[in-house]
């Protein structure tokens, strides 16, 4: 995880990738190196571990869980409205406006007193992580903003190296629950979905980290996750299976048809091969795709400046 720096001025992050040729600037940036480093550090940290295993829960982690609980409560307080179109319920905009208004204050509470100045910068990533209020859609770019939000909290020292398991199992897992509730309640559209050829309509990271949890598992192999009995029995322990469970609840018809990519993955012999393949796919399908990265914002913590060699 990135080392804490004390010597810089925070800034409100802004977009820097406005044309396809700018993508090289992103791939060479300090932000890219920090972001992928963060994802891979957590990938190592959760290897072979169950969601239900014991891990340290710091005060910052508790505060983040409270923050996500607040977002969840606001969904209950903002029921969907009656409207002709089935998808993209406009009540989502009311919910989002509340977050837009409160984000900075919510983030301030999570930060140590001497780092409160970072709240306006870090809050931007929180606001970007819950979907788009114009299009009422959600996709892997929004998920990436939440990982960026967590990465920034590490960079300012609010989260530490020994928070790794809690970051994925407690914070990110709670975030997923809230996102699923948003997607269901407001019938959000998948952003830039590749339909049947994508991995999942909405998420990617829990498949990476979830496959890492399974590495060296004595009995469960990739071929088992298409078995609904296995999913129901083990989803509390494994993020990957929890994702499959949600897909099964939301989609009808044969799994091989509605989730073709995942079906193909179930034929891969080992979880470490699945994990490596998903990391490659994440880079290619999300981090190297202009339609996703054009929305990414850069500030002092996740900088567009070229990475230090």
């Amino acid at each position: 995880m990135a080392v804490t720096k004390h010597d810089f001025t925070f800034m409100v992050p802004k977009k820097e990738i406005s044309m396809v040729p700018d993508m090289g600037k992103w791939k060479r940036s300090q932000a890219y190196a920090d972001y992928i480093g963060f994802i891979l550090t957590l990938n190592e940290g959760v290897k072979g571990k169950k969601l239900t295993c014991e891990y340290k829960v710091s005060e910052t982690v508790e505060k983040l869980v409270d923050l996500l609980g607040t977002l969840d409560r606001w969904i209950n307080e903002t029921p969907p409205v009656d409207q002709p179109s089935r998808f993209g319920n406009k009540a989502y905009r009311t919910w989002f406006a509340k977050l837009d208004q409160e984000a900075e204050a919510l983030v301030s509470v999570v930060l140590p007193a001497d780092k409160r100045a970072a709240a306006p910068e870090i809050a931007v990533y929180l606001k970007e992580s819950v979907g788009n209020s114009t299009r009422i859609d959600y996709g892997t770019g929004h998920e990436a903003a939440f990982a960026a939000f967590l990465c920034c909290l590490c960079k300012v020292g609010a989260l530490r190296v020994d928070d790794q398991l809690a970051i994925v199992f407690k914070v990110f897992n709670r975030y997923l629950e809230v996102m699923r509730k948003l997607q269901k309640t407001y019938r959000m559209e998948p952003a830039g979905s590749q339909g049947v050829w994508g991995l999942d309509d909405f998420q990617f990271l829990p498949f990476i980290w979830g496959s890492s949890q399974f590495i060296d598992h004595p009995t469960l192999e990739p071929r088992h996750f298409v078995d609904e009995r296995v999913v129901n029995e083990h989803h509390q322990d494994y993020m990957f299976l929890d994702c499959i469970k949600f897909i099964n609840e939301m989609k009808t018809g044969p799994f091989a048809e509605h989730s073709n990519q995942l079906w193909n993955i179930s034929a891969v012999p080992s979880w470490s091969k699945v994990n490596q393949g998903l990391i490659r796919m994440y880079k290619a399908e999300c981090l190297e795709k202009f339609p996703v990265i054009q929305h990414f914002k850069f500030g002092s913590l996740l900088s567009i400046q070229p990475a230090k060699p």
Side-chain angles (χ1 to χ4, degrees), residues 214-225:
F214 274 127
I215 291 174
D216 296 332
H217 193 284
T219 54
L220 293 174
E221 295 169 25
R223 64 189 172 91
H224 289 116
F225 76 74

Side-chain angles (χ1 to χ4, degrees), residues 1-6 10 56-64 107-116 118 122 149-163 167 171 301:
M1 301 213 175
V3 192
T4 316
K5 292 188 284 183
H6 295 284
F10 298 109
K56 182 199 132 203
V57 177
S58 65
E59 197 186 341
T60 303
V61 167
E62 293 284 14
K63 287 175 175 176
L64 284 165
V107 172
S108 277
V109 178
V110 173
L111 291 167
D114 61 328
K115 291 291 186 307
R116 297 265 153 90
I122 299 177
F149 167 69
L150 296 171
C151 182
C152 288
L153 290 172
C154 287
K155 293 201 87 168
V156 297
L159 291 168
R160 297 167 202 275
V161 178
D162 59 355
D163 289 317
I167 288 171
V171 182
L301 295 165

Side-chain angles (χ1 to χ4, degrees), residues 74-86:
W74 291 346
I75 302 175
N76 299 340
E77 292 166 7
T78 318
V81 294
D82 277 335
Q83 60 175 46
S85 138
R86 253 178 77 220

Side-chain angles (χ1 to χ4, degrees), residues 87-295:
F87 286 96
N89 194 284
K90 290 182 177 52
Y92 171 79
R93 294 185 180 141
T94 310
W95 178 88
F96 186 89
K98 202 160 174 59
L99 173 61
D100 197 35
Q101 198 186 329
E102 302 286 335
E104 224 171 284
L106 289 171
V107 172
S108 277
V109 178
V110 173
L111 291 167
D114 61 328
K115 291 291 186 307
R116 297 265 153 90
E121 175 164 347
I122 299 177
V124 168
Y125 296 103
L126 179 64
K127 288 190 278 194
E128 298 275 322
S129 76
V130 297
N132 180 287
S133 66
T134 310
R135 295 185 304 272
I136 315 184
D137 66 6
Y138 176 95
T140 49
H142 302 112
E143 179 190 72
F146 192 74
F149 167 69
L150 296 171
C151 182
C152 288
L153 290 172
C154 287
K155 293 201 87 168
V156 297
L159 291 168
R160 297 167 202 275
V161 178
D162 59 355
D163 289 317
Q164 277 180 42
L165 283 175
I167 288 171
V168 180
F169 290 174
K170 214 164 168 65
V171 182
F172 191 81
N173 209 34
R174 184 72 178 103
Y175 164 76
L176 279 180
E177 286 173 4
V178 179
M179 292 310 104
R180 286 172 186 149
K181 186 163 168 178
L182 275 179
Q183 291 152 14
K184 257 179 159 159
T185 305
Y186 303 121
R187 302 298 299 269
M188 296 179 77
E189 301 268 18
S193 163
Q194 296 148 312
V196 73
W197 302 112
L199 185 66
D200 177 75
D201 280 343
F202 298 113
Q203 314 299 154
F204 205 117
L205 291 173
F207 292 97
I208 295 179
W209 295 329
S211 60
S212 182
Q213 284 183 275
F214 274 127
I215 291 174
D216 296 332
H217 193 284
T219 54
L220 293 174
E221 295 169 25
R223 64 189 172 91
H224 289 116
F225 76 74
V226 290
D227 178 344
E228 228 166 304
R229 209 183 53 241
V230 171
V231 172
N232 292 332
E233 203 174 318
H234 297 281
H235 73 94
Q236 283 101 338
D237 283 327
Y238 296 101
M239 214 168 223
F240 196 102
L241 300 183
D242 215 26
C243 291
I244 302 293
K245 185 171 177 283
F246 186 64
I247 292 171
N248 289 338
E249 283 166 16
M250 299 295 277
K251 306 222 164 182
T252 51
F255 191 87
E257 286 174 28
H258 62 63
S259 302
N260 191 260
Q261 275 283 27
L262 282 166
W263 179 258
N264 293 337
I265 286 169
S266 73
V268 175
S270 77
W271 283 111
S272 66
K273 285 266 190 300
V274 170
N275 186 242
Q276 290 158 6
L278 286 173
I279 290 166
R280 272 200 310 276
M281 186 177 167
Y282 185 61
K283 287 177 179 170
E285 298 300 320
C286 302
L287 301 184
E288 294 175 13
K289 286 278 187 281
F290 175 73
V292 176
I293 297 306
Q294 65 175 332
H295 302 292

